[in-house]
PDB file of all heavy atoms in Angstrom:
ATOM      1  N   HIS A 114     128.361 113.870  65.028  1.00  0.00           N
ATOM      2  CA  HIS A 114     127.757 114.571  63.887  1.00  0.00           C
ATOM      3  C   HIS A 114     127.101 115.851  64.379  1.00  0.00           C
ATOM      4  O   HIS A 114     127.102 116.133  65.583  1.00  0.00           O
ATOM      5  CB  HIS A 114     126.776 113.673  63.131  1.00  0.00           C
ATOM      6  CG  HIS A 114     125.546 113.281  63.918  1.00  0.00           C
ATOM      7  ND1 HIS A 114     125.610 112.488  65.047  1.00  0.00           N
ATOM      8  CD2 HIS A 114     124.234 113.577  63.743  1.00  0.00           C
ATOM      9  CE1 HIS A 114     124.377 112.313  65.522  1.00  0.00           C
ATOM     10  NE2 HIS A 114     123.524 112.967  64.752  1.00  0.00           N
ATOM     11  N   HIS A 116     124.112 117.139  64.817  1.00  0.00           N
ATOM     12  CA  HIS A 116     122.786 117.330  65.413  1.00  0.00           C
ATOM     13  C   HIS A 116     122.900 117.814  66.859  1.00  0.00           C
ATOM     14  O   HIS A 116     123.799 117.399  67.587  1.00  0.00           O
ATOM     15  CB  HIS A 116     121.967 116.043  65.309  1.00  0.00           C
ATOM     16  CG  HIS A 116     121.434 115.838  63.919  1.00  0.00           C
ATOM     17  ND1 HIS A 116     121.055 114.624  63.425  1.00  0.00           N
ATOM     18  CD2 HIS A 116     121.240 116.738  62.911  1.00  0.00           C
ATOM     19  CE1 HIS A 116     120.633 114.768  62.175  1.00  0.00           C
ATOM     20  NE2 HIS A 116     120.736 116.041  61.837  1.00  0.00           N
ATOM     21  N   ASP A 118     121.534 117.509  69.812  1.00  0.00           N
ATOM     22  CA  ASP A 118     121.562 116.703  71.035  1.00  0.00           C
ATOM     23  C   ASP A 118     122.924 116.026  71.236  1.00  0.00           C
ATOM     24  O   ASP A 118     123.183 115.466  72.293  1.00  0.00           O
ATOM     25  CB  ASP A 118     120.433 115.655  71.029  1.00  0.00           C
ATOM     26  CG  ASP A 118     120.251 114.966  69.691  1.00  0.00           C
ATOM     27  OD1 ASP A 118     120.615 115.549  68.655  1.00  0.00           O
ATOM     28  OD2 ASP A 118     119.744 113.829  69.668  1.00  0.00           O
ATOM     29  N   HIS A 119     123.795 116.105  70.242  1.00  0.00           N
ATOM     30  CA  HIS A 119     125.098 115.446  70.338  1.00  0.00           C
ATOM     31  C   HIS A 119     126.236 116.413  70.659  1.00  0.00           C
ATOM     32  O   HIS A 119     127.303 115.981  71.048  1.00  0.00           O
ATOM     33  CB  HIS A 119     125.401 114.685  69.038  1.00  0.00           C
ATOM     34  CG  HIS A 119     124.414 113.597  68.763  1.00  0.00           C
ATOM     35  ND1 HIS A 119     124.640 112.270  69.049  1.00  0.00           N
ATOM     36  CD2 HIS A 119     123.154 113.652  68.260  1.00  0.00           C
ATOM     37  CE1 HIS A 119     123.570 111.551  68.728  1.00  0.00           C
ATOM     38  NE2 HIS A 119     122.647 112.365  68.245  1.00  0.00           N
ATOM     39  N   HIS A 192     123.256 109.535  57.575  1.00  0.00           N
ATOM     40  CA  HIS A 192     122.355 110.153  58.560  1.00  0.00           C
ATOM     41  C   HIS A 192     122.469 111.669  58.411  1.00  0.00           C
ATOM     42  O   HIS A 192     121.467 112.390  58.403  1.00  0.00           O
ATOM     43  CB  HIS A 192     122.724 109.703  59.968  1.00  0.00           C
ATOM     44  CG  HIS A 192     121.931 110.389  61.033  1.00  0.00           C
ATOM     45  ND1 HIS A 192     120.582 110.222  61.195  1.00  0.00           N
ATOM     46  CD2 HIS A 192     122.298 111.297  61.979  1.00  0.00           C
ATOM     47  CE1 HIS A 192     120.155 110.974  62.191  1.00  0.00           C
ATOM     48  NE2 HIS A 192     121.165 111.647  62.680  1.00  0.00           N
ATOM     49  N   THR A 193     123.712 112.152  58.296  1.00  0.00           N
ATOM     50  CA  THR A 193     123.961 113.539  57.887  1.00  0.00           C
ATOM     51  C   THR A 193     125.060 113.466  56.823  1.00  0.00           C
ATOM     52  O   THR A 193     125.440 112.378  56.401  1.00  0.00           O
ATOM     53  CB  THR A 193     124.455 114.409  59.061  1.00  0.00           C
ATOM     54  OG1 THR A 193     125.749 113.944  59.469  1.00  0.00           O
ATOM     55  CG2 THR A 193     123.497 114.363  60.241  1.00  0.00           C
ATOM     56  N   ASP A 211     124.543 108.397  65.226  1.00  0.00           N
ATOM     57  CA  ASP A 211     123.159 108.187  64.784  1.00  0.00           C
ATOM     58  C   ASP A 211     123.031 107.366  63.509  1.00  0.00           C
ATOM     59  O   ASP A 211     121.954 107.298  62.915  1.00  0.00           O
ATOM     60  CB  ASP A 211     122.448 109.537  64.595  1.00  0.00           C
ATOM     61  CG  ASP A 211     121.979 110.107  65.927  1.00  0.00           C
ATOM     62  OD1 ASP A 211     122.274 109.484  66.964  1.00  0.00           O
ATOM     63  OD2 ASP A 211     121.336 111.170  65.918  1.00  0.00           O
ATOM     64  N   PHE A 214     120.184 103.231  65.240  1.00  0.00           N
ATOM     65  CA  PHE A 214     119.179 103.440  66.278  1.00  0.00           C
ATOM     66  C   PHE A 214     118.758 102.067  66.777  1.00  0.00           C
ATOM     67  O   PHE A 214     118.772 101.109  66.013  1.00  0.00           O
ATOM     68  CB  PHE A 214     117.945 104.170  65.722  1.00  0.00           C
ATOM     69  CG  PHE A 214     118.152 105.643  65.464  1.00  0.00           C
ATOM     70  CD1 PHE A 214     118.983 106.087  64.449  1.00  0.00           C
ATOM     71  CD2 PHE A 214     117.482 106.595  66.234  1.00  0.00           C
ATOM     72  CE1 PHE A 214     119.161 107.445  64.215  1.00  0.00           C
ATOM     73  CE2 PHE A 214     117.652 107.953  66.009  1.00  0.00           C
ATOM     74  CZ  PHE A 214     118.489 108.384  64.992  1.00  0.00           C
ATOM     75  N   THR A 220     115.868 109.193  62.884  1.00  0.00           N
ATOM     76  CA  THR A 220     115.501 110.546  62.459  1.00  0.00           C
ATOM     77  C   THR A 220     116.182 110.849  61.131  1.00  0.00           C
ATOM     78  O   THR A 220     117.284 110.366  60.866  1.00  0.00           O
ATOM     79  CB  THR A 220     115.949 111.596  63.488  1.00  0.00           C
ATOM     80  OG1 THR A 220     117.377 111.571  63.579  1.00  0.00           O
ATOM     81  CG2 THR A 220     115.358 111.308  64.854  1.00  0.00           C
ATOM     82  N   HIS A 248     120.937 106.403  69.641  1.00  0.00           N
ATOM     83  CA  HIS A 248     119.701 106.440  70.427  1.00  0.00           C
ATOM     84  C   HIS A 248     119.236 105.005  70.647  1.00  0.00           C
ATOM     85  O   HIS A 248     119.276 104.201  69.734  1.00  0.00           O
ATOM     86  CB  HIS A 248     118.599 107.222  69.690  1.00  0.00           C
ATOM     87  CG  HIS A 248     118.987 108.647  69.386  1.00  0.00           C
ATOM     88  ND1 HIS A 248     118.618 109.712  70.173  1.00  0.00           N
ATOM     89  CD2 HIS A 248     119.716 109.173  68.378  1.00  0.00           C
ATOM     90  CE1 HIS A 248     119.094 110.837  69.661  1.00  0.00           C
ATOM     91  NE2 HIS A 248     119.769 110.536  68.562  1.00  0.00           N
TER      92      HIS A 248
ATOM     93  N   CYS B 149     114.992 117.660  65.140  1.00  0.00           N
ATOM     94  CA  CYS B 149     116.133 118.564  65.114  1.00  0.00           C
ATOM     95  C   CYS B 149     116.296 119.194  63.738  1.00  0.00           C
ATOM     96  O   CYS B 149     117.357 119.145  63.140  1.00  0.00           O
ATOM     97  CB  CYS B 149     117.396 117.856  65.560  1.00  0.00           C
ATOM     98  SG  CYS B 149     117.569 116.188  64.944  1.00  0.00           S
TER      99      CYS B 149
HETATM  100 ZN1   ZN C   1     121.352 112.780  64.536  1.00  0.00          ZN
END
Side-chain angles (χ1 to χ4, degrees):
Chain A
H114 66 295
H116 283 158
D118 42 335
H119 298 261
H192 175 66
T193 66
D211 280 4
F214 286 69
T220 63
H248 301 263
Chain B
C149 40

